[in-house]
Amino acid sequence: MIDYSYLAPPKEANDIVHSNHYIKHQEQEQGVRKIYETVVYDQFEIEKVKELKEEIKKQKIILSSDWKESDYLRISYAGRFDKKTVIKKLQQHIAWRCNKIYHEINSHSEQFLKEGICYLLGRDKQYRPIVILNAHLIDQKKHDKEQIFQVLSFLLGIVKKNMFVPGKVETWIFILETNNLGGQGLQQKVLEILIDNLSTNFSGYLERMFILNPSSGINFLWQQIQTFLDQQTINKITLLQQKDIKQLKEFIEPNQLEEKFGGNQPNLIKFWPPYNLDLSDGYTKQDNKSNQKQDLKLQNIKIEEEEENDPYDQVEFNLNDFMKQQQQIYYCISNKMEQQIQEDDKIEIQQKEQSQPDSQLESKHQHNISQQDHQKPILDEPEQPELQQQKLTHEEEKKQNILQNNEIKESTEQVILTERQKNYQQQGNDTEQNKLQSHDEQGFNSTGNKLNDESNGENIHIQRLDPVNNDKGCCSKCEIF
C-alpha cells in the first residue's frame, strides 16, 4: 500500500489569493464556480442546496458516509440546477462512489499506469496538478471503456485526496495527447469518458483540458460533441496542433513540462508510482527528520541561553540531587559510626569478662586470710591502687571513644560542607554564587527564616540527622534539608 502524501502541494500553494471572479462568476443557472471549500455560497446556491436536500429526503436516497456539504452544490452544478437532471446524476454518482473497483488499484490498472498511458507530473502556475493521458498508447484489444474509466477514477481519486488545498487549489489541468490518431473507435470512447462520466463524478474539478495534435477526425467529432455541452464546459477545452503547443507555457512553467510538450523537463520514463517534481528524488518527502533535528538544535540553544541567564531555572532538580547526595553521605558515615560503636561495646564487654575472674580470685584470697586471722582487719590498701588503675584505664578508653566519635562528626561536617560547596559550583557561576552569599549575609535561609547576622559557618554545630525523614535542619542555624 503506497502512501501518496508525498504528492502534497508545496507550501507556496497556501499563499494563493483568488479573486472573487475566479471563485465564482455569473449568476444563477449560468454561474461558474471554481472554489467550493472554505467560502460562502450566494443566496441562489443556498436555496438550491436546500431544495436538493428536501428532494433527497423525499426520495429516501441514501448518501455515502463521506458526503460533504460542498458535494450538494457540486452535483447541482453538474445538473445545471435542473431538479430531474441533478437527481439522475446524483444517483449515478452515488453508485460510482460506493463501488470499490473505482477506488482501488488492481493488477490491470497498475499495468496501465506503469506503461505511462495515464500519469501525473508537475503543476501549473497556480499549483494545480497536471494529469496526462496518452490516448494513442491505448490498445483497444486490451483496454475497453470500462477499464479506462476505472484507472482514471483511481488516479483522480489520488489527486483529490493528496494534491489539493481547500480554498486554494481545487481543480486540475488535463493534457490529452492523441498523436494524430483518427476520431473513430478508441478516440471517441476516450472523449465520452472524459466529458460524460468524469463531469458527473468529478464535477467542478476540471480547470482546463488541452487536446494535443488532434487529427481531422477528432476535430470533426469535437464539432458534434459541442452541441450537447454547455458553454462553460466548452470554454474549458482547447485543441492545440503541434505548432500551437507552446501555448501551454502560458499556463505551465517550462520546468513543470516535459520536453515533448515544449518544456525543459526530461521526458519521464518511470510513470508509477507518481513522480513529484518538487522533491529531490521524486518520491521521498523532505520529512520532519531534518526539520526536527534543526528544531532540536534551536531548542538546545535556547535552553543553554536560559541556563546562562538564570541557572536557578533548575533549582528544584539540583536540590533533589543535592538531597540524594547528602542522604548517601549521611548513611555512609552513620554506618561507620555504628560499626565503631559496636566494636567499642565488644571491647568493653571483653574487658568486663576479663576483670570478673580476677575479682573472684581476690575475694577468695581475702576469705582465706580472714579465716587464718580473724583478729586482723581486712587490708584494702594494697588492692585499692589496682582497682583505681582499672577504672582509670576504662575511663581513658571511653574518652578515646568519645574523641573518635567527635573526629567522625568533624569529618562528617567537612564532607557535608565540601559536598555543599560542590553543589553550589554545579548550580551556577561565580556571579550567582555571589548572589547567594549576599543573600545569606542578609540573614535569610532557604525557607525564608531569618538567621542571626553574627552567625557564620564556623560557629554552626552540625547534628547527625536524617536528611530525608527529618523535618528539622541539619544544624541549629539552617533548614537546608
Side-chain angles (χ1 to χ4, degrees):
M1 189 67 180
I2 300 174
D3 180 8
Y4 301 103
S5 61
Y6 71 92
L7 297 172
K11 294 180 180 179
E12 292 79 5
N14 293 286
D15 299 330
I16 295 175
V17 178
H18 294 297
S19 65
N20 292 332
H21 182 268
Y22 176 83
I23 294 172
K24 197 260 180 178
H25 58 274
Q26 299 188 17
E27 301 299 328
Q28 298 188 358
E29 289 84 356
Q30 301 302 318
V32 177
R33 178 172 283 280
K34 298 289 185 68
I35 300 297
Y36 288 81
E37 308 293 341
T38 69
V39 292
V40 179
Y41 302 154
D42 61 29
Q43 191 61 36
F44 173 79
E45 292 171 333
I46 293 172
E47 291 176 358
K48 289 298 181 181
V49 167
K50 184 178 179 181
E51 291 176 4
L52 176 58
K53 289 180 179 180
E54 291 174 352
E55 189 65 24
I56 290 171
K57 185 177 180 180
K58 180 180 178 181
Q59 297 193 23
K60 299 180 180 180
I61 299 173
I62 299 175
L63 303 175
S64 59
S65 58
D66 59 343
W67 191 268
K68 298 186 298 183
E69 189 69 19
S70 59
D71 292 332
Y72 291 106
L73 191 57
R74 286 185 181 276
I75 203 67
S76 297
Y77 270 103
R80 303 315 302 176
F81 298 101
D82 180 74
K83 185 180 293 186
K84 291 183 180 179
T85 305
V86 170
I87 292 298
K88 181 181 178 180
K89 285 187 173 291
L90 174 63
Q91 291 172 336
Q92 293 175 350
H93 177 70
I94 292 173
W96 168 85
R97 201 162 182 169
C98 295
N99 195 334
K100 292 184 178 180
I101 65 172
Y102 297 113
H103 313 292
E104 297 177 352
I105 191 170
N106 52 43
S107 57
H108 175 268
S109 300
E110 187 174 8
Q111 186 60 34
F112 190 97
L113 294 169
K114 285 182 177 180
E115 292 176 1
I117 299 173
C118 187
Y119 60 97
L120 307 173
L121 186 67
R123 293 176 178 271
D124 73 350
K125 294 181 178 180
Q126 292 293 309
Y127 301 101
R128 291 178 280 251
I130 301 172
V131 184
I132 301 168
L133 176 62
N134 289 315
H136 62 285
L137 298 178
I138 298 176
D139 187 349
Q140 296 189 54
K141 296 179 181 179
K142 293 170 59 177
H143 312 296
D144 58 20
K145 180 179 177 180
E146 177 62 22
Q147 291 174 337
I148 297 169
F149 183 51
Q150 288 180 16
V151 176
L152 285 174
S153 295
F154 172 73
L155 190 63
L156 295 177
I158 293 174
V159 176
K160 279 181 59 178
K161 293 178 182 178
N162 301 278
M163 302 183 74
F164 285 160
V165 179
K168 306 291 184 177
V169 180
E170 296 185 12
T171 56
W172 54 57
I173 302 293
F174 207 104
I175 296 178
L176 176 62
E177 174 61 86
T178 65
N179 201 20
N180 291 311
L181 290 179
Q184 299 298 321
L186 179 62
Q187 302 298 334
Q188 184 174 353
K189 292 179 183 178
V190 172
L191 288 175
E192 288 176 355
I193 292 170
L194 294 176
I195 295 173
D196 185 16
N197 293 343
L198 295 185
S199 64
T200 298
N201 299 305
F202 295 95
S203 177
Y205 289 103
L206 179 64
E207 180 71 24
R208 293 189 70 88
M209 178 186 289
F210 297 98
I211 302 176
L212 306 183
N213 302 310
S215 63
S216 57
I218 291 291
N219 282 313
F220 178 74
L221 181 61
W222 174 241
Q223 296 297 326
Q224 292 180 329
I225 292 175
Q226 287 187 61
T227 58
F228 301 100
L229 300 176
D230 60 86
Q231 190 60 42
Q232 302 304 325
T233 302
I234 293 172
N235 293 338
K236 293 180 180 180
I237 300 173
T238 303
L239 279 65
L240 297 176
Q241 296 294 339
Q242 184 63 38
K243 62 180 181 179
D244 301 321
I245 288 180
K246 60 183 180 182
Q247 294 182 18
L248 289 173
K249 296 180 182 178
E250 297 178 8
F251 304 93
I252 306 169
E253 294 290 352
N255 64 350
Q256 298 291 311
L257 272 175
E258 294 175 274
E259 292 176 350
K260 62 183 179 182
F261 299 135
N264 54 28
Q265 191 67 228
N267 293 334
L268 202 62
I269 56 175
K270 182 182 178 181
F271 303 96
W272 185 256
Y275 191 90
N276 188 349
L277 293 175
D278 296 324
L279 304 180
S280 57
D281 65 351
Y283 304 100
T284 306
K285 288 191 298 185
Q286 303 294 331
D287 54 15
N288 295 330
K289 291 182 179 179
S290 59
N291 294 334
Q292 286 175 355
K293 290 180 180 179
Q294 187 175 2
D295 293 341
L296 185 59
K297 289 180 180 179
L298 293 174
Q299 289 176 2
N300 291 336
I301 291 171
K302 289 181 179 179
I303 291 171
E304 290 176 1
E305 290 177 353
E306 290 175 357
E307 288 179 350
E308 290 176 359
N309 293 334
D310 189 0
Y312 292 97
D313 289 341
Q314 303 292 332
V315 165
E316 183 177 355
F317 174 77
N318 292 336
L319 184 58
N320 290 334
D321 288 347
F322 175 73
M323 296 291 287
K324 289 180 182 178
Q325 291 174 0
Q326 299 302 315
Q327 183 180 10
Q328 292 174 358
I329 294 168
Y330 170 79
Y331 286 142
C332 181
I333 295 172
S334 177
N335 290 333
K336 288 182 180 179
M337 292 177 67
E338 289 178 359
Q339 291 176 1
Q340 185 65 36
I341 292 169
Q342 290 176 0
E343 290 177 0
D344 294 340
D345 293 339
K346 288 180 181 179
I347 293 170
E348 186 176 354
I349 292 169
Q350 289 176 0
Q351 290 176 353
K352 288 181 179 180
E353 290 176 352
Q354 291 175 359
S355 62
Q356 284 178 0
D358 295 338
S359 61
Q360 290 176 0
L361 290 172
E362 195 174 323
S363 62
K364 287 181 180 179
H365 179 69
Q366 291 176 358
H367 180 68
N368 293 330
I369 292 170
S370 62
Q371 287 179 353
Q372 292 177 1
D373 192 3
H374 293 286
Q375 295 178 356
K376 290 182 180 180
I378 297 172
L379 298 177
D380 295 334
E381 289 77 11
E383 296 175 356
Q384 200 168 7
E386 292 179 359
L387 292 171
Q388 289 178 354
Q389 187 176 359
Q390 289 179 359
K391 289 180 180 180
L392 288 172
T393 54
H394 184 64
E395 288 177 358
E396 287 176 358
E397 288 176 355
K398 285 186 176 181
K399 288 180 180 179
Q400 289 178 359
N401 291 334
I402 292 169
L403 290 173
Q404 289 177 358
N405 290 336
N406 290 333
E407 289 177 358
I408 292 172
K409 289 180 180 179
E410 289 176 358
S411 64
T412 303
E413 294 173 3
Q414 292 177 359
V415 171
I416 292 174
L417 291 173
T418 303
E419 290 298 326
R420 186 180 298 170
Q421 290 174 358
K422 288 182 180 179
N423 186 65
Y424 284 138
Q425 290 176 0
Q426 292 176 358
Q427 287 182 355
N429 53 21
D430 296 339
T431 304
E432 296 301 333
Q433 288 181 2
N434 292 332
K435 290 182 181 179
L436 287 174
Q437 291 173 1
S438 64
H439 185 66
D440 290 335
E441 290 173 0
Q442 292 174 1
F444 291 90
N445 60 10
S446 60
T447 58
N449 296 325
K450 272 193 173 183
L451 293 174
N452 190 353
D453 294 339
E454 297 178 355
S455 65
N456 52 39
E458 296 178 355
N459 297 327
I460 295 174
H461 175 66
I462 304 299
Q463 297 178 359
R464 185 163 65 92
L465 300 173
D466 190 336
V468 176
N469 299 321
N470 190 64
D471 58 353
K472 299 179 181 179
C474 67
C475 63
S476 61
K477 296 295 184 179
C478 74
E479 296 177 359
I480 188 64
F481 289 137

